[in-house]
Structures are given as C-alpha cells and as structure tokens.
Amino acid sequence: MKRSAWPVVAIAAALASWARAQPAPLTLQQAQAEARAHAPERAMADAAVEAAHARAAVAGRWLTHDPVATGRYQQPAPGAGLDDRTWSLGLEWTIEVSGAWRARGQAARAAVTAADDDRESALLALDGEVARAVAELADAQRRVARATRMIALRELAAHAAERMRGTGGGTQLEVDAAALDLRAAQIDGAGARADLDVSRVHLARLLGRRDGAGLEVADDVDRSPIPPAMVDDLVDRDPRVRAAAAQLDAAQRAADAERRAAMPGVTVGVELERARHDIPGGAFAAAPGLRGTWSEWALGLQLSVPLPLVDRNRAARVAADVDVRSLQSRLAALRMDVRAEIATAQSRLSGAIAAMDAAADIPSILDREVQLLDKALRAGGIEFSSWAQQAHRLAEVGRSYDEVVLALRRARAAWARVAAPR
C-alpha cells in the first residue's frame, strides 16, 4: 500500500469505529418496552395491584373479633364476719354467623381483578404517551433535517444573488430578498432545534431516563391498512371497561356483605370459677357449735345473641347500595365513551392512511426538485425570482408532508390504545 493512502485508511477506520459507538435510534417497540420497565407509572400501577392483593389476603377471614379475657374476684365486705371468697377466669369470643366474611372475600378478589385491569389500562396509556412522544421526536428530527437543508439552499441563493449583483446581472432587491429568506430559514431551524430538545426531554421522562441528551428515534412510518375490528368486541376487551365491571362486581359483593352483616355476631363464653364458703360458729341456733369451711369449682357457659331490631346495619347498607348504583351508571357511561373513542380513532386513522397514500411520492419529488434547484442555481440557468418561488413551494410542501406523517403516527397511537391485542 502506498504511503499516502495510510491517512485515508486511518480516517475511514476512525469513522467506522465512531459509527459503531453511536447508539442505534430507538424503535417505537423498544421505547415502549423501556418505558414499561422503568417509567414511574409502572411502579405506581404495580403498587396498586400489590395493595389490592394485600387487602384480599385479610378480607375473607371469618374470625374478625378478638377474644376477650375476663376475670372476677369477690369477697364479703369488712365486718360481715364471713370469709367467703370467689374468683373466676373467663373467655368470650364474638363469632360472625351471617356469612358476610365470604362476600367480603369475594369483593376483595373482584377488587384485585379491577386493579389488574387498571394496571393494564395504565400501561396501555403509557404506550400511547410513548408513541406520541416518539412521533413528536421523529417529527422534530425531520424538521431539523429539512431546515438544515433549506438553510444550505438559502445560503447558496444569498451568495448567488451577491455574485449576480457584483457582475451587474442582479439588483439589491434580489439580494435583500435572498437575505430575508435565509434569515427566515435560520429562524425556522432554531425553532426546530428547540422543539427537538423539548421532545427529547419529554420522551426521556417517559422512558425513566435522567436526561434525553442525544436521544434519537427511528424515522419509520407504518403505512399498513387498518385491520378490521368488531367495535363491540373492542369495547368488551378494553381494560378500562373490564376494570369498571370488576369494580361494580366488587361493590355488589360488598353490598351483599353489608346486608348479611345486619345479622350481628353471636358471643360465646366460658368461665371457670373457684369459690370458698365459710359458715362461722353460731350461724345455726339449733347447732351453735356447727361451723365449716370448704371450696368448690364451677364451670359456666355463656351465649349472647343480639336482637337485630333497631340498627340492622342500615347506614352501611345504604352507602353500599349507593356505590353500586353509581358504579352501574359509570360503567354505562364508560362503555359509551370507549365506543366513541374507538369510532373516532378508526376514522382518524383511516383518514391519515388515505392522506399518507396521497402523499407517498412527495419525498422523492422533493429530493429531486431540491437537487435540480441546486444545480440550476449553481449553473445560473434559472432566474432568481423563479428559484425563490420554487424554494418557497418546496418548503411548504415539505411542512405539509411532515404534518401528514405526524398525524398518521398520532392516529396509530390512538388506535393502538383502543385496539391493542389483549
């Protein structure tokens, strides 16, 4: 190899090594997976499920009252002349016989199901937020790239206008117009770079990263047609609807538990007694010398059955019934809202796909026109006014195309929120 070729090889190797060191742009699926693994919203959803499981673990216990230990000691008053003494130890326990504990356990298990569905709904919402953030970042990347390209063209036009005026073939008006167009392109570029930084910060927050420096996403556009879907099936499968239905089930079972609790618990008790009896001398006139002292044991049983005539747990029963009616109305309204959301997402996605199909050849046309304008301007084969008009149209069409792409990505995110496989 020639000596002069070594620097070229070294530079090429360094560039290749730098390219390998750069992180690959995030795909939408990678971003959503990272967000589900590290976003604080995942921890919040998991904590709610863990709390529901903890409540369910204790809700179905049928022994809900602590036993009560009792003790008693009795002796005659001073001066009575007797030495009787009595002490006893007992144990009382209130036992629920209504079966409300079974309904409470069922309600708690339904609440666990609701918490699981709420977590799935939260994760789907997180997926949608990530998809929108990725769409915004991809749009900002496109805008920065397009602005950079337009700035380069505007700089070339400004230099060409200066040269033409210097050779007597142009006017100051054309020079000023080219300078103003360049400044406008530079302003657009500054705004696009600021939006790029903001989009990176937003996506980094959703991914659970400390900052978004250097964060980039893959600029791929899903143009596949919308799959057929049965709206009723989508409504029934929506985790928000399932969570609301599970919450209603839990409320109904809790109401059943409150109705059963109108029958109060039964208290049973046992008592062991030790009594000492004393008969002093002279207690019997017929036998004044008779006296005696003895002790005896006694075992007693107790049963207390409250009569449910007044309270009958009315306040708790009314509150539980109100909760059931409220959740029934909420479920009906939620089903209608989800149905409307599905129809809206479907319409917007269909329109976005149609717009994307209509704009499919715009990128290739723009690339070709930019190259032609660049060559014509460098060769002096086009009037400046005509060139400026063409450049303005290319910039407007480019922005319109970017808006079509962004609308499609947002529509995809909204559709995935309501039609994700479950």
Side-chain angles (χ1 to χ4, degrees), residues 194-214:
D195 291 341
L196 177 64
D197 292 336
V198 171
S199 298
R200 283 172 171 168
V201 171
H202 183 205
L203 181 57
R205 158 63 182 84
L206 295 174
L207 299 181
R209 299 188 183 185
R210 295 179 61 87
D211 60 73

Side-chain angles (χ1 to χ4, degrees), residues 68-81:
V68 178
T70 62
R72 182 169 59 89
Y73 177 78
Q74 179 181 351
Q75 69 178 21

